[in-house]
Amino acid sequence: MANRWRVKSVEQSIADTDEPDTRLRKDLTWRDLAVFGVAVVIGAGIFTVTASTTGDVTGPAVWISFVIAAATCALAALCYAEFASTLPVAGSAYTFSYATFGEFLAWIIGWNLLLELAVGAAVVSKGWSSYLGSVFGFAGGTVSLGSVDLDWGALLIVGAVSTLIALGTKLSSRFSMVITTIKVSVVILVVVVGAFYIKTANYSPFIPKAEVGGDQRGIDQSVLALVTGAHSSHYGWYGVLAGASIVFFAFIGFDIVATMAEETKRPQRDVPKGILASLAIVSVLYVAVSVVLSGMVSYTQLKTIPGRKAANLATAFTANGIHWASEIIAIGALAGLTTVVMVLMLGQCRVLFAMARDGLLPRSLARTGARGTPVRITVLVAVVVATTAAVFPITKLEEMVNVGTLFAFILVSAGVIVLRRTRPDLPRGFRAPWVPSLPIASICACVWLMVNLTALTWVRFGVWLVVGTAIYVGYGRWHSVQGRRQVERALDANSAVT
């Protein structure tokens, strides 16, 4: 068991980035990173999750849920910024965990990041497909093939963005800049125009009574509600807390900035700036949109009702007769979700790349082409995401993504404390303030959000961890590059003694 906890030093991690066959090009600046961060975070949260959470879980208090989620992300972001400036290597939390907690936990984190990014990309690509129908006036990008509903719209977007990713990260950044400008402009339009249609009566009751949301029992309620016997995490304060755990999905992506540290020209300075700038921008926009949305219509008009189309951001404008705005929102959503899918897939490619370079997955996948991108991994990710989005029905997977991401946040926050004590000599381009108090606060906030997820989500998460552990035991531990290095060092030491 001991060899599963082998640690890969910071120096070795950085040295591995110079291998000719697996070298990434350093093309990015902090502005590129901020664009990627805003590009991936502004999307599903504003255009889909905000309205459904308001109607089904929180009521008008949804903006409080956003503030709680943003504060949790801010604590974790400071920890990510320190790690990324100290260890500017692809892989984000996976690489950070390898340098602090060892190989086994690093694998678990990498496995969870794949859950976050692959499922996230699949969920958002299906959202993109539905908005495709809204923009062009048809039912959506699906077609029935026998008993299977094939989502060709999801196939289309996944194929397009994976091609961009394979052509180069800098090209992807330029594309993101254009599309992100469009969708941020749409979000600002929503706030400005929507503010004129706010009715204060819609803010009452600000926190609806819990019984309004119906009764939930068993594993379909949040763990906190299950333990305390509340029986409901719809509306009331339990709803606000559960809502924070759900809208947390809207913030997922800022950590992807850290996965691109190896492709940044001056990572020690630029990665922290990119992470913090992107998170600050999106937090302000999210709170502003949630306040306007819940003021434009009653939360009851946003509830999910069988047989009725799920509410989204455009619903509030249509209800107020602002049809031209709802059409612009649909276009903005289509553009915005495009970059979300792209950056989620880009992040997943970089995590897989780091794991393959370390031998925990087949090393042949980590080979980079003439453009300095891992084309094989990009193709693999495209196939997995496209298949998941096009064929499988996706329901309640936002929470599955959240629990894996929060677990990664916890280990990154704890890793800052560990590395401060074990390697105080390391040069750090950015130092998180108030260590260890701030990382401890980050851990507590993440655990709090996790217990507000449903018990069913935890069961699914447990199954995912069991599958990941089996893959590591069966393949990763035997093919680990770091493991081979340790064996070679031991043999060299024995030879020297004899």
Side-chain angles (χ1 to χ4, degrees):
M1 181 69 183
N3 66 339
R4 299 183 193 178
W5 302 96
R6 48 195 171 218
V7 174
K8 183 179 181 182
S9 70
V10 172
E11 291 80 3
Q12 184 63 63
S13 295
I14 294 174
D16 285 348
T17 64
D18 288 328
E19 293 183 6
D21 292 339
T22 58
R23 183 181 298 163
L24 297 172
R25 290 180 59 175
K26 297 181 181 295
D27 290 331
L28 305 179
T29 66
W30 77 267
R31 291 181 180 83
D32 294 319
L33 297 179
V35 167
F36 276 128
V38 175
V40 68
V41 178
I42 293 184
I46 281 185
F47 297 115
T48 59
V49 176
T50 306
S52 61
T53 304
T54 301
D56 298 335
V57 183
T58 66
V62 64
W63 68 267
I64 296 180
S65 299
F66 271 107
V67 169
I68 295 172
T72 302
C73 289
L75 294 173
L78 290 168
C79 297
Y80 267 89
E82 174 165 330
F83 249 127
S85 69
T86 308
L87 187 56
V89 177
S92 185
Y94 159 76
T95 304
F96 306 157
S97 298
Y98 212 154
T100 49
F101 299 110
E103 185 175 277
F104 178 66
L105 279 182
W107 165 266
I108 292 298
I109 288 298
W111 185 243
N112 287 337
L113 287 175
L114 298 184
L115 173 67
E116 169 195 346
L117 302 173
V119 175
V123 169
V124 177
S125 64
K126 289 186 81 70
W128 185 93
S129 180
S130 66
Y131 269 106
L132 184 68
S134 299
V135 171
F136 294 103
F138 55 90
T142 59
V143 62
S144 295
L145 297 176
S147 60
V148 177
D149 289 331
L150 180 67
D151 196 326
W152 61 264
L155 286 175
L156 177 64
I157 185 59
V158 170
V161 299
S162 59
T163 301
L164 272 174
I165 293 171
L167 290 176
T169 310
K170 190 65 177 180
L171 177 61
S172 299
S173 174
R174 290 170 180 164
F175 176 78
S176 290
M177 173 68 81
V178 175
I179 302 301
T180 300
T181 300
I182 295 173
K183 69 178 177 180
V184 169
S185 299
V186 170
V187 170
I188 294 173
L189 176 70
V190 166
V191 174
V192 173
V193 175
F196 290 99
Y197 292 86
I198 290 177
K199 303 175 186 66
T200 55
N202 290 328
Y203 292 126
S204 181
F206 184 62
I207 302 178
K209 292 182 180 179
E211 62 265 25
V212 176
D215 192 48
Q216 284 184 302
R217 296 184 182 276
I219 60 176
D220 286 325
Q221 62 183 304
S222 73
V223 172
L224 180 64
L226 182 66
V227 171
T228 59
H231 298 310
S232 178
S233 52
H234 281 200
Y235 308 115
W237 276 107
Y238 284 105
V240 173
L241 297 174
S245 299
I246 295 171
V247 301
F248 177 81
F249 178 79
F251 288 93
I252 287 177
F254 79 84
D255 55 317
I256 293 178
V257 174
T259 70
M260 289 175 272
E262 192 174 325
E263 297 164 86
T264 306
K265 294 177 181 177
R266 290 173 290 186
Q268 287 76 13
R269 187 197 71 173
D270 290 349
V271 176
K273 289 178 67 176
I275 291 175
L276 298 176
S278 59
L279 183 60
I281 293 169
V282 300
S283 296
V284 171
L285 291 175
Y286 273 157
V287 171
V289 169
S290 60
V291 169
V292 169
L293 174 68
S294 57
M296 290 181 68
V297 293
S298 169
Y299 72 94
T300 57
Q301 293 179 260
L302 301 174
K303 292 178 68 174
T304 300
I305 297 176
R308 187 173 77 179
K309 182 180 178 181
N312 55 39
L313 191 57
T315 303
F317 285 82
T318 302
N320 282 276
I322 320 171
H323 298 288
W324 63 267
S326 62
E327 293 174 1
I328 291 177
I329 289 170
I331 294 172
L334 190 66
L337 296 178
T338 301
T339 58
V340 176
V341 176
M342 184 182 72
V343 182
L344 285 173
M345 289 181 61
L346 179 59
Q348 185 183 17
C349 289
R350 296 306 177 261
V351 173
L352 276 172
F353 168 80
M355 296 171 76
R357 184 165 60 187
D358 289 333
L360 303 186
L361 293 171
R363 273 182 59 84
S364 59
L365 293 175
R367 292 187 180 276
T368 52
R371 292 181 176 271
T373 58
V375 177
R376 295 179 182 180
I377 284 180
T378 303
V379 172
L380 175 63
V381 168
V383 170
V384 171
V385 172
T387 302
T388 303
V391 178
F392 296 101
I394 298 178
T395 56
K396 293 190 177 294
L397 288 182
E398 293 94 339
E399 292 193 17
M400 275 288 287
V401 176
N402 290 356
V403 69
T405 306
L406 286 165
F407 187 62
F409 283 8
I410 288 173
L411 280 193
V412 169
S413 300
V416 168
I417 301 174
V418 172
L419 206 60
R420 283 280 188 100
R421 294 187 176 183
T422 59
R423 296 296 307 274
D425 57 307
L426 286 174
R428 291 169 169 83
F430 175 87
R431 295 178 69 90
W434 310 307
V435 174
S437 299
L438 184 141
I440 291 174
S442 176
I443 293 169
C444 293
C446 290
V447 170
W448 178 251
L449 290 184
M450 290 177 79
V451 299
N452 278 283
L453 294 169
T454 64
L456 179 59
T457 296
W458 279 91
V459 172
R460 291 169 174 166
F461 182 56
V463 173
W464 179 261
L465 291 182
V466 169
V467 172
T469 300
I471 294 174
Y472 173 78
V473 172
Y475 183 90
R477 66 177 295 203
W478 303 108
H479 295 82
S480 167
V481 172
Q482 188 65 11
R484 290 203 300 268
R485 285 173 179 153
Q486 289 187 355
V487 171
E488 291 169 0
R489 288 177 192 140
L491 292 175
D492 291 342
N494 290 336
S495 301
V497 171
T498 56

